[in-house]
Amino acid sequence: AIGVTNTALGNFAGGNVFDELTSVEITLSSGSVTGLTRGQVLDGDNHALVGDEIIQFRDATLISTNRYKLTGLLRGRRGTEGAIATHSSSERFVLLPSAGTGIVRPPADTSEIGLTRYYRGVTLGKTITSAASQTMVNTAASLKPLPVVYVRGFRDASENLTIFWKRRTRVDGGWRDFVDAALGETTESYEIDVMNWAGTIVRRTISVTAQTASYSAANQITDFGSPPQTQLRIRIYQMSSVVGRGFVTEAII
């Protein structure tokens, strides 16, 4: 099932729970969609790509011919939470097959990253010249580490700040008791940008190899003036040896 959105999917900051506040209407050019139970959705069914965000939907209400309203949404699936606030109308809609079946990832060398390539989707019985070219730039999104979560900070009596977070992984991330999720990278490393309050200037970049970073009161005074800041805007990136910075997590601590 593929089509376009008729309405803009709204922003949602509620986290990993069902979004009962927003909805999206779609018109399909092929295929159909059906609603499922809450349990079926939690088991992994009804994934769809809307714009650049992967969602899951529980309810699909037929409004008119080939037009549906999707509600009961799980947002920012598969590490796409960075796209939650980016939507507009007339975006692509693609229903994704369950359990990853039917999705093909063309092989590509890292030398292809950032380059424009031309593709043609040729239907059965047609020649290559019968199809129009479509451009695509390989952004290596699937190689970027996922944004970290649970960012928090602690100040000691001298106003030195310690920042903590939890990493995520694209590899072997299932829940197992007493075992950490696989790293999924060559080495573990992070970069933390300390921003000005408007988020337009990087005051300092801190590089660490563990899920914690220190920002001393002295460095705060150097970066912002006296006294140390009571609130800070930071951006955290897990690093990849192939593509550098992963997807960002921004937090105010």
Side-chain angles (χ1 to χ4, degrees):
I2 62 173
V4 297
T5 60
N6 303 109
T7 59
L9 179 56
N11 192 13
F12 180 70
N16 191 28
V17 297
F18 277 91
D19 175 6
E20 305 289 1
L21 303 176
T22 61
S23 63
V24 64
E25 294 184 12
I26 61 171
T27 295
L28 298 180
S29 56
S30 65
S32 62
V33 293
T34 58
L36 296 174
T37 67
R38 175 187 174 92
Q40 288 171 312
V41 174
L42 292 175
D43 279 342
D45 285 332
N46 268 4
H47 279 87
L49 180 66
V50 178
D52 291 328
E53 180 189 356
I54 295 177
I55 68 168
Q56 289 178 266
F57 60 93
R58 184 188 62 226
D59 307 315
T61 304
L62 182 62
I63 300 174
S64 59
T65 303
N66 297 328
R67 182 164 179 164
Y68 298 82
K69 181 178 182 179
L70 306 182
T71 54
L73 310 177
L74 289 175
R75 305 291 301 274
R77 315 308 280 172
R78 301 290 182 175
T80 60
E81 59 264 45
I84 288 178
T86 65
H87 294 287
S88 61
S89 60
S90 301
E91 292 183 311
R92 59 185 175 181
F93 173 89
V94 182
L95 183 67
L96 301 178
S98 299
T101 59
I103 297 176
V104 176
R105 183 186 297 276
D109 295 330
T110 55
S111 60
E112 295 284 310
I113 296 173
L115 301 181
T116 299
R117 290 290 182 256
Y118 296 84
Y119 295 86
R120 292 184 177 185
V122 183
T123 193
L124 186 65
K126 296 292 185 178
T127 63
I128 292 178
T129 56
S130 68
S133 294
Q134 304 288 332
T135 60
M136 191 197 79
V137 177
N138 182 355
T139 62
S142 63
L143 295 180
K144 293 181 180 180
L146 298 180
V148 304
V149 293
Y150 303 131
V151 180
R152 59 204 187 279
F154 171 78
R155 291 183 184 275
D156 64 19
S158 299
E159 296 297 330
N160 300 304
L161 176 64
T162 303
I163 307 165
F164 305 89
W165 60 88
K166 291 292 185 182
R167 66 171 175 83
R168 297 160 71 190
T169 183
R170 291 187 179 276
V171 180
D172 192 17
W175 188 292
R176 292 191 295 158
D177 291 340
F178 313 114
V179 179
D180 284 341
L183 178 61
E185 302 296 334
T186 306
T187 58
E188 185 173 5
S189 62
Y190 306 88
E191 287 186 353
I192 302 93
D193 285 345
V194 180
M195 310 298 298
N196 68 335
W197 190 247
T200 56
I201 299 173
V202 178
R203 298 292 190 183
R204 181 180 295 267
T205 297
I206 304 170
S207 299
V208 294
T209 58
Q211 297 169 65
T212 181
S214 297
Y215 188 31
S216 69
N219 284 340
Q220 294 174 52
I221 292 172
T222 298
D223 298 339
F224 293 95
S226 182
Q229 301 294 290
T230 58
Q231 287 187 313
L232 288 170
R233 183 185 297 272
I234 63 171
R235 294 172 182 168
I236 304 176
Y237 306 83
Q238 186 174 356
M239 303 300 292
S240 162
S241 61
V242 178
V243 295
R245 286 183 164 186
F247 291 105
V248 64
T249 295
E250 182 169 309
I252 296 173
I253 56 175

